[in-house]
């Protein structure tokens, strides 16, 4: 069986997000099924940080990776970001048409437009595709107030999204709330949706003692409230910072540890500095090999979403927190 995974980010991307999840999936499939051949179409970009001249082609543990030279959309204004997304989808479609036919295409939502390539390839060649929905657009942008529900662009994007979902052999979502939203918003029958949580590797993340390398290196003691992951627009950090401000006058043994990066990090840093929040510490992402140690450092770990984002994205860090044995 020949499968092609199309996603903007892939190995060696290891800082979370779809690139990491799909890399783990590809390697697991290769390890479990000898008769499965897996190709990957991705970009030469990393989800976070700059890539050091990633090769245009690579064989990684039996997975054949082709990297397309397309613009990096992160940090671009919305119109330019949409243009970069469309360029990746177009480049992926051209690359797919030049190859012999696959038995199955697997596409995600990075970028949100990549399903265009899958739908067009199905029309032209009959190749079926699975559509794995991580973050649902334009619904997320509408909820955050970035797009008006009645804007012509919004209506166009919703029509496109409905077409992509209904053309897929199956839509794969991360949680029941997302499954229910697809039924309400896009009339997608429940039998066309599979709920497959991302989960956590029980061999990689296990409960550990609280006396960790991370605590020692950073000089951290007392009760730690930890958040680790993307500081994205979908996440509510103001509530966390409000709690830190109130606790600062009540408890001197509680520290809020925020580890990661993303669009909201400058806002968080400004609030911490401007309000003198001495009980909030900001750190960059830790290497993947140190992630279990970081999770073990917490007395309690945080999962946060903006109001209204339920069913539009699912914080997969929840499963890693459970595996770490922390509340």
């Amino acid at each position: 069986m020949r499968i092609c995974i199309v996603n903007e980010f892939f190995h060696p991307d290891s800082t979370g997000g779809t690139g990491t999840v799909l890399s783990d999936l590809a390697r697991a499939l290769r390890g479990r099924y000898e008769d499965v051949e897996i190709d990957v179409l991705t970009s030469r970009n990393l989800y976070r940080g700059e890539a050091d001249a990633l090769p245009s082609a690579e064989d990684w543990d039996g997975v054949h990776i082709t990297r397309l030279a397309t613009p990096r959309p992160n940090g671009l204004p919305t119109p330019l970001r949409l243009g970069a997304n469309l360029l990746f989808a177009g480049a992926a479609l051209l690359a797919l048409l030049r190859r012999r036919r696959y038995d199955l295409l697997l596409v995600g939502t990075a970028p949100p437009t990549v399903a265009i390539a899958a739908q067009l390839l199905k029309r032209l060649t009959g190749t079926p595709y699975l559509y794995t929905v991580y973050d649902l657009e334009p619904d997320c942008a509408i909820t955050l107030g970035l797009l008006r529900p009645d804007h012509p662009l919004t209506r166009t994007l919703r029509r496109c999204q409905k077409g992509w979902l209904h053309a897929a052999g199956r839509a794969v979502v991360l949680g029941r709330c997302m499954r229910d939203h697809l039924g309400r918003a896009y009339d997608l029958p429940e039998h066309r949706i599979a709920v497959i949580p991302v989960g956590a590797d029980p061999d990689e993340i296990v409960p550990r003692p609280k006396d960790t390398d991370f605590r020692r290196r950073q000089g951290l003691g007392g009760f730690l409230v930890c958040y680790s992951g993307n500081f994205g627009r979908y996440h509510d950090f103001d509530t966390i910072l409000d709690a830190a401000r109130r606790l600062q006058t009540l408890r001197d043994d509680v520290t809020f540890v925020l580890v990661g990066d993303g669009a909201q990090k400058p806002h968080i840093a400004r609030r911490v500095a401007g309000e003198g929040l001495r009980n909030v510490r900001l750190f960059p992402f830790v290497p993947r090999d140190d992630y279990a140690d970081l999770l073990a450092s917490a007395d309690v770990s945080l999962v946060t979403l903006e109001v209204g984002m339920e069913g539009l994205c699912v914080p997969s860090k929840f499963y890693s927190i459970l595996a770490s044995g922390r509340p």
Side-chain angles (χ1 to χ4, degrees):
M1 184 177 187
R2 299 184 71 239
I3 299 174
C4 185
I5 298 173
V6 184
N7 196 69
E8 186 174 12
F9 308 108
F10 198 76
H11 171 82
D13 207 309
S14 61
T15 56
T18 59
T20 303
V21 171
L22 291 175
S23 298
D24 290 344
L25 173 63
R27 188 160 55 178
L29 289 174
R30 280 289 302 151
R32 184 173 299 180
Y33 303 106
E34 294 182 359
D35 59 341
V36 172
E37 179 183 338
I38 300 178
D39 291 349
V40 174
L41 276 176
T42 185
S43 74
R44 303 182 76 171
N45 306 317
L46 294 178
Y47 182 49
R48 299 181 177 95
E50 298 295 332
D52 293 327
L54 293 176
S56 59
E58 180 181 358
D59 188 275
W60 173 62
D61 288 350
V63 177
H64 312 294
I65 304 172
T66 300
R67 298 189 178 94
L68 306 170
T70 54
R72 187 172 184 266
N74 299 39
L76 294 177
T78 300
L80 293 179
R81 187 184 183 107
L82 180 59
N85 292 165
L86 289 170
L87 283 174
F88 177 81
L93 177 61
L94 290 175
L96 288 165
L97 289 172
R98 288 194 292 265
R99 301 179 173 199
R100 65 189 180 95
R101 186 170 168 178
Y102 289 99
D103 298 298
L104 180 67
L105 207 62
L106 191 156
V107 299
T109 49
T113 56
V114 74
I116 294 174
Q119 186 182 30
L120 288 175
L121 188 73
K122 181 181 179 181
R123 289 178 180 175
L124 294 171
T125 67
T127 304
Y129 69 93
L130 286 179
Y131 187 16
T132 303
V133 182
Y134 294 103
D135 301 318
L136 186 63
E137 298 290 358
D139 306 58
C140 289
I142 295 169
T143 300
L144 293 176
L146 302 176
L147 284 176
R148 296 199 319 269
D150 58 346
H151 194 280
L153 176 60
T154 305
R155 292 197 294 268
T156 299
L157 291 174
R158 287 186 68 91
R159 283 196 299 271
C160 290
Q161 184 65 267
K162 185 173 183 178
W164 302 334
L165 288 164
H166 282 261
R170 190 71 62 91
V172 178
V173 299
L174 306 185
R176 297 184 301 272
C177 52
M178 187 177 283
R179 175 199 63 199
D180 296 343
H181 179 85
L182 292 186
R184 290 192 306 268
Y186 293 100
D187 300 320
L188 194 63
E190 188 171 321
H191 71 272
R192 300 281 306 282
I193 308 171
V195 178
I196 306 178
V198 171
D201 186 344
D203 296 322
E204 183 177 341
I205 301 176
V206 297
R208 299 184 181 189
K210 196 167 56 177
D211 181 22
T212 61
D213 290 338
F214 181 81
R215 277 182 177 252
R216 287 191 290 271
R217 284 197 306 268
Q218 306 303 339
L220 295 167
F223 191 95
L224 298 190
V225 181
C226 296
Y227 175 89
S228 175
N230 188 24
F231 293 9
R233 294 183 177 91
Y234 306 157
H235 308 293
D236 169 23
F237 289 100
D238 284 325
T239 301
I240 296 170
L241 297 176
D242 291 345
R245 185 182 66 242
R246 295 178 64 180
L247 276 173
Q248 186 164 252
T249 61
L250 301 174
R251 295 278 298 267
D252 60 4
D253 63 332
V254 176
T255 303
F256 287 75
V257 175
L258 309 181
V259 181
D261 204 351
Q264 289 208 62
K265 193 165 188 178
H267 167 71
I268 296 169
R270 284 193 298 269
R271 279 204 58 182
V272 170
E275 299 173 30
L277 300 179
R278 299 180 305 279
N279 59 346
V280 179
R281 299 282 302 276
L282 293 175
F283 298 99
F285 279 105
V286 300
R288 182 168 181 171
D289 290 345
D290 296 334
Y291 184 50
D293 179 81
L294 170 65
L295 290 173
S297 304
D299 288 278
V300 62
S301 290
L302 298 176
V303 179
T304 176
L305 278 178
E306 283 286 0
V307 174
M309 296 303 296
E310 303 87 352
L312 308 184
C313 60
V314 178
S316 55
K317 63 174 63 64
F318 176 72
Y319 300 100
S320 299
I321 292 168
L322 290 181
S324 74
R326 297 298 187 267

